[in-house]
Amino acid sequence: MLDPDSGLSLTIARIVQRLKGSSLHSQLERQARVSLHKPEIKLESLKEDIKDFLKTSGWEKKLQNAVYSHLSVFPSPCHPAAPPEHMKEPLAYMRKAQGSWEKRILKSLNSMCTELGIPLAQKRPASEQKELLNKWNEMGTDEPDLSLFRPVYAPKDFLEVLMNLRNPNYENGDQPSFRNHLGLIQVPLKVKDIPELKEDFTELGLNIGQLGIDDSAQVPPEFFENEHVRVGQKVLAEQDSAAAQQYVRQGCPTALRADLWALILNISNQPEDILYYEQLKSNVIQHNLLVDSLIYKDVKLTASNDDYYFVFEDYLYQVLLCFSRDTSVLEHFTYSSATPPKSYIRGKLGMEEYAVFYPPNGVIPFHGFSMYVAPLCFLYHEPSKLYQIFREMYVRFFFRLHSISSHPSGIVSLCLLFETLLQTHLPQLFYHLREIGAQPLRISFKWMVRAFSGYLATDQLLLLWDRILGYNSLEILAVLAAAVFAFRAVNLMEVTSLAAAEAVLADLSTLKVMPLLQIFLFATVT
Amino acid sequence: MGVLVWGIPALLWGVLVWGMPLPVQEIVFKNFYTAFLSVRVQRPGPSGSRRWVTSLRDLCLMPCPHTEQGAQDYFSLHRNQMLCDMDQVTAVRFILRQPSPVWLQFSIEELQIFPPGQKSPQKDFPSWLSQLTPPEQPASLHGLPDPEKVSTEVQQMWVLTEVIRTRQAAARIGRFDVSSTILLRASAWLHCQGSLPEGLLLAGWGFGVSL
């Protein structure tokens, strides 16, 4: 009696509308026109023949991938009576909390601007432009004095905000009761329990081959690895995004990872994409933004100090500076709870027609932001491709890690999922840590906000990100965080302070991600 | 009629009355922490009397009533979802249920009722969020939850007992408190917008507290 067809038709209409403006559309059109000269295209069966041609020449696959990518990124359309902000975030109190958090960030940014007497943006003099262009590939050698700059916020500040998040319609008594959560997060979101997670992450099961476990030196490669690599090559040859996404759930062979991820994210690095990147680059060269200094500072403080990533310092500047100028990133604000900040042209404060988004991409970087890019540098050496992959990863996943929303992959849900998993499966440990004032989330929050980048060894991190892409979800981060606590439970039961607990969990670089996840999800008796 | 759960009313109802019989095509509203919605409509019966008929029974708006899912979503009810004919309706009664005691208030908001032919925002649009009314089932006698699931959830209780023990205070757990929420809930309101037929009257919006 319901009409699911019309729901589908609206989604189709939206995708068609979106694809019409894309270069794929014009390419398809061009190909169809060219095909008219082919002898196998008959006038009497024109439509069918062209369809066949597009299918055999691989263009149909490209269209399928574009549609699939759209379906993965954009949420299904919400109810027509709902206002646009409902699509950003359905819960009013979450929207409000995100709004006031943004105000705080802006205030901090503005006060830094005023203190240092630096404008938000200014045109570089010609000599400086030339200089920057010359040293574009070695920006890391530059040592500007950034001692006065400070990161706008760090994950710790963000955690404080999340801890104070309350639903005004929820009975939050001061007394401990069954209504209060025992962790730091006090919002009653629905999070999955282990049986539900088991069902979602079926492919991580004990009897299914995994890269990260079954490719270790003790296991002969003919058991799993060889076959898995062969299948991977086949998936790549087929150029099918959906198949690639299913495939990476069991992990990507190192040699195929770059191509498989690009296929899943539908990034092909066409000439026009390279041109777009070059335009962004020239924007960077022409104008100096205040956020540039924040990016410099962040890279210097994080990636440059990291044993794995310091070599990529120059790449990071290139990608992040271009990212800050990319207005196409603004599109993700239609489905993100965040709203891009606006600034006004000097002397026109408050006049909407003189308002511009600042920074142009609407994203103010925080302490650790560059760690979202760093692991990708291992996979892509061409800056324009690296850039596109990062942008796509950001608008699909990473933005959720620093905005307040009720989305299952949003940071609030991840925190709650982590706390719930730990509390239900390691109640003694959870209670012990809570009693000594070492709330587990205080330790794991920074891991999750950075998607574990900079904490795990890179091979392990990439195996973890394989699963993020494969399941199109960040929930695995919370599961891993809980699994790490479970793994170190014996040591943690001994500690008596937050500092000691932090010390136990300070070094995650020796951990093997996949066995931890597998044991926590599938081999723990509940 | 009314249900009490831990001293807090778990049921609210509201009635919309208009003078003459009118057809109803679609009902659109925004949920505010209502878990289940039933709709009864008044229709002219034989010999001029009017009869109340159930047109929708326990539509689930929040799949897990203790958590936020669906709590502030928009919903559409179409006439083809209704259990009875919606051609001659003189009044609609909304019966809202919220079995979870954790919410201070629950209601439905931005209620709009559309007659056939009137262009609702839903034109060419599917009923995304509306769901089929579940077939009526006798109350399950095997309703005991999965013991494994209970055992994991019972950990929260365990910690609570620990907390209370360590504090050594005669702390109230607060479970059986009859609090001021009853008064708060009485203020649950119904928000009507444009598009309703003329002569509409908000006749009653009460809550059940009798056992």
Side-chain angles (χ1 to χ4, degrees):
Chain A
M1 299 199 299
L2 270 182
D3 194 4
D5 289 348
S6 49
L8 186 65
S9 67
L10 196 102
T11 310
I12 293 172
R14 287 198 180 175
I15 295 176
V16 168
Q17 192 188 13
R18 203 182 136 76
L19 288 180
K20 264 192 176 156
S22 71
S23 63
L24 180 66
H25 183 256
S26 50
Q27 280 172 327
L28 282 170
E29 222 171 46
R30 200 179 316 130
Q31 288 301 320
R33 211 170 296 140
V34 168
S35 74
L36 293 178
H37 304 296
K38 293 190 181 292
E40 64 267 25
I41 310 280
K42 306 269 186 310
L43 196 59
E44 52 271 23
S45 56
L46 188 67
K47 205 172 164 183
E48 289 309 311
D49 286 352
I50 289 183
K51 271 192 201 165
D52 284 343
F53 166 75
L54 290 177
K55 191 178 274 181
T56 49
S57 57
W59 283 96
E60 195 191 51
K61 200 66 120 204
K62 286 199 172 75
L63 182 61
Q64 277 174 7
N65 289 346
V67 171
Y68 190 71
S69 155
H70 186 281
L71 287 174
S72 321
V73 176
F74 289 86
S76 45
C78 61
H79 195 283
E85 68 260 25
H86 194 269
M87 183 158 159
K88 287 167 79 71
E89 168 51 50
L91 301 177
Y93 73 95
M94 290 258 183
R95 286 200 298 266
K96 211 174 136 199
Q98 172 66 27
S100 42
W101 169 236
E102 281 163 11
K103 270 197 200 122
R104 240 181 85 182
I105 299 174
L106 270 191
K107 211 172 141 191
S108 153
L109 192 67
N110 275 332
S111 67
M112 188 158 57
C113 239
T114 327
E115 257 173 51
L116 302 177
I118 299 171
L120 285 174
Q122 61 183 353
K123 203 173 165 78
R124 288 183 214 270
S127 58
E128 199 185 312
Q129 288 189 23
K130 207 172 159 198
E131 198 192 327
L132 184 61
L133 190 61
N134 286 335
K135 60 168 194 206
W136 179 257
N137 289 323
E138 46 196 48
M139 279 189 276
T141 55
D142 209 13
E143 295 278 346
D145 178 26
L146 297 168
S147 52
L148 292 172
F149 286 91
R150 52 176 193 271
V152 182
Y153 66 96
K156 219 166 68 182
D157 309 310
F158 190 45
L159 176 61
E160 294 296 321
V161 175
L162 299 189
M163 278 163 52
N164 291 317
L165 196 60
R166 295 283 184 284
N167 179 345
N169 194 36
Y170 191 78
E171 209 164 274
N172 290 296
D174 293 333
Q175 294 285 338
S177 81
F178 76 104
R179 293 182 184 110
N180 301 120
H181 294 267
L182 292 161
L184 296 176
I185 301 296
Q186 292 293 332
V187 283
L189 294 174
K190 165 87 181 98
V191 290
K192 290 174 182 152
D193 55 13
I194 291 263
E196 285 169 305
L197 289 169
K198 271 185 187 169
E199 205 173 304
D200 280 9
F201 296 112
T202 323
E203 290 85 354
L204 305 186
L206 295 171
N207 50 0
I208 293 172
Q210 293 295 328
L211 287 188
I213 297 175
D214 302 293
D215 54 339
S216 67
Q218 294 88 345
V219 184
E222 55 268 23
F223 278 164
F224 169 71
E225 201 181 348
N226 289 351
E227 174 65 9
H228 192 61
V229 171
R230 209 181 53 76
V231 174
Q233 282 157 345
K234 210 169 161 188
V235 168
L236 271 181
E238 284 292 317
Q239 282 295 304
D240 188 326
S241 292
Q245 192 171 31
Q246 179 65 36
Y247 174 80
V248 302
R249 292 179 175 190
Q250 288 171 270
C252 276
T254 312
L256 307 179
R257 183 172 281 125
D259 291 336
L260 281 166
W261 283 19
L263 181 56
I264 295 169
L265 299 169
N266 199 29
I267 299 296
S268 50
N269 202 21
Q270 299 287 312
E272 62 266 26
D273 301 320
I274 299 170
L275 196 67
Y276 186 74
Y277 176 77
E278 289 299 322
Q279 276 171 0
L280 294 175
K281 182 175 154 184
S282 70
N283 287 347
V284 175
I285 285 165
Q286 280 164 15
H287 289 91
N288 186 14
L289 302 187
L290 172 77
V291 284
D292 294 358
S293 305
L294 295 175
I295 291 169
Y296 267 110
K297 180 97 182 182
D298 185 47
V299 174
K300 292 275 181 216
L301 284 178
T302 55
S304 304
N305 283 333
D306 190 289
D307 291 350
Y308 297 109
Y309 302 125
F310 71 96
V311 284
F312 300 123
E313 193 179 345
D314 297 327
Y315 274 140
L316 296 177
Y317 292 129
Q318 292 174 22
V319 167
L320 287 168
L321 292 178
C322 288
F323 183 67
S324 70
R325 267 70 168 183
D326 192 346
T327 48
S328 72
V329 179
L330 291 171
E331 205 183 1
H332 91 280
F333 288 108
T334 52
Y335 53 90
S336 154
S337 65
T339 309
K342 272 184 187 165
S343 79
Y344 296 90
I345 290 168
R346 199 187 291 265
K348 311 279 184 189
L349 192 70
M351 295 162 82
E352 279 305 310
E353 60 268 37
Y354 293 104
V356 284
F357 292 119
Y358 185 86
N361 69 347
V363 183
I364 294 176
F366 59 93
H367 182 59
F369 193 84
S370 50
M371 297 308 277
Y372 292 144
V373 192
L376 301 172
C377 299
F378 275 107
L379 301 180
Y380 304 95
H381 302 298
E382 196 183 335
S384 74
K385 188 156 188 184
L386 170 66
Y387 174 72
Q388 290 167 60
I389 296 280
F390 164 66
R391 184 181 60 192
E392 195 63 23
M393 289 287 277
Y394 183 81
V395 301
R396 281 193 193 203
F397 305 111
F398 298 145
F399 74 95
R400 297 203 187 277
L401 296 174
H402 51 91
S403 49
I404 304 172
S405 84
S406 60
H407 192 276
S409 283
I411 189 70
V412 186
S413 300
L414 296 187
C415 290
L416 192 61
L417 177 60
F418 163 75
E419 290 192 326
T420 318
L421 285 176
L422 205 58
Q423 194 197 327
T424 47
H425 295 280
L426 296 155
Q428 306 258 4
L429 175 66
F430 189 86
Y431 179 68
H432 171 69
L433 291 175
R434 187 176 177 271
E435 285 304 294
I436 61 166
Q439 274 278 6
L441 186 60
R442 287 204 186 274
I443 301 169
S444 67
F445 186 73
K446 51 186 184 298
W447 305 340
M448 293 193 284
V449 168
R450 286 194 192 173
F452 281 93
S453 173
Y455 295 102
L456 295 171
T458 41
D459 60 327
Q460 297 300 310
L461 184 81
L462 294 173
L463 287 168
L464 178 70
W465 285 17
D466 279 345
R467 274 68 183 190
I468 292 180
L469 280 162
Y471 291 99
N472 202 26
S473 150
L474 294 166
E475 282 159 309
I476 197 94
L477 298 176
V479 181
L480 179 64
V484 171
F485 272 76
F487 185 61
R488 295 262 192 258
V490 178
N491 305 70
L492 287 170
M493 284 305 280
E494 308 273 314
V495 301
T496 51
S497 69
L498 174 63
E502 273 176 338
V504 168
L505 295 165
D507 183 15
L508 308 186
S509 62
T510 53
L511 297 182
K512 300 279 177 225
V513 168
M514 293 321 296
L516 281 186
L517 284 170
Q518 219 175 37
I519 291 167
F520 189 79
L521 282 175
F522 294 94
T524 307
V525 182
T526 55
Chain B
M1 184 166 88
V3 184
L4 268 173
V5 174
W6 290 343
I8 295 163
L11 191 134
L12 298 165
W13 63 78
V15 189
L16 286 172
V17 181
W18 51 92
M20 52 186 178
L22 285 170
V24 171
Q25 173 70 26
E26 187 187 356
I27 302 171
V28 177
F29 64 92
K30 184 188 176 202
N31 185 23
F32 188 79
Y33 295 93
T34 303
F36 299 98
L37 173 73
S38 299
V39 178
R40 280 168 70 78
V41 293
Q42 196 185 44
R43 298 189 309 170
S47 70
S49 64
R50 289 182 174 175
R51 283 192 316 127
W52 282 102
V53 188
T54 301
S55 63
L56 189 71
R57 193 185 297 275
D58 283 342
L59 176 74
C60 177
L61 307 180
M62 289 169 71
C64 175
H66 297 304
T67 62
E68 302 270 9
Q69 229 182 344
Q72 298 189 25
D73 279 350
Y74 284 78
F75 290 86
S76 283
L77 311 173
H78 286 267
R79 63 186 289 148
N80 56 10
Q81 266 178 283
M82 304 293 185
L83 299 170
C84 68
D85 186 41
M86 297 289 280
D87 278 336
Q88 302 247 304
V89 177
T90 52
V92 186
R93 171 177 290 178
F94 295 92
I95 300 154
L96 320 180
R97 287 206 300 130
Q98 178 48 275
S100 169
V102 300
W103 311 110
L104 297 176
Q105 297 184 37
F106 61 97
S107 62
I108 55 174
E109 300 174 351
E110 299 177 32
L111 179 70
Q112 300 176 73
I113 298 177
F114 295 96
Q118 188 170 346
K119 198 177 172 189
S120 80
Q122 191 99 354
K123 193 70 182 163
D124 302 325
F125 209 83
S127 29
W128 314 106
L129 296 162
S130 51
Q131 299 148 30
L132 285 173
T133 318
E136 281 189 44
Q137 283 171 347
S140 169
L141 297 175
H142 311 285
L144 292 174
D146 177 14
E148 276 193 20
K149 201 162 178 288
V150 171
S151 79
T152 61
E153 282 164 4
V154 116
Q155 304 301 346
Q156 167 109 356
M157 287 297 175
W158 172 80
V159 177
L160 278 175
T161 55
E162 288 292 311
V163 170
I164 289 163
R165 210 169 46 134
T166 50
R167 304 238 164 117
Q168 302 247 317
R172 291 179 311 147
I173 300 182
R175 239 171 102 174
F176 299 103
D177 292 355
V178 178
S179 63
S180 58
T181 47
I182 292 180
L183 291 174
L184 280 170
R185 275 160 189 255
S187 66
W189 49 282
L190 188 63
H191 185 86
C192 307
Q193 278 197 342
S195 64
L196 282 166
E198 277 189 14
L200 174 91
L201 177 73
L202 183 59
W205 189 245
F207 61 97
V209 283
S210 60
L211 274 167

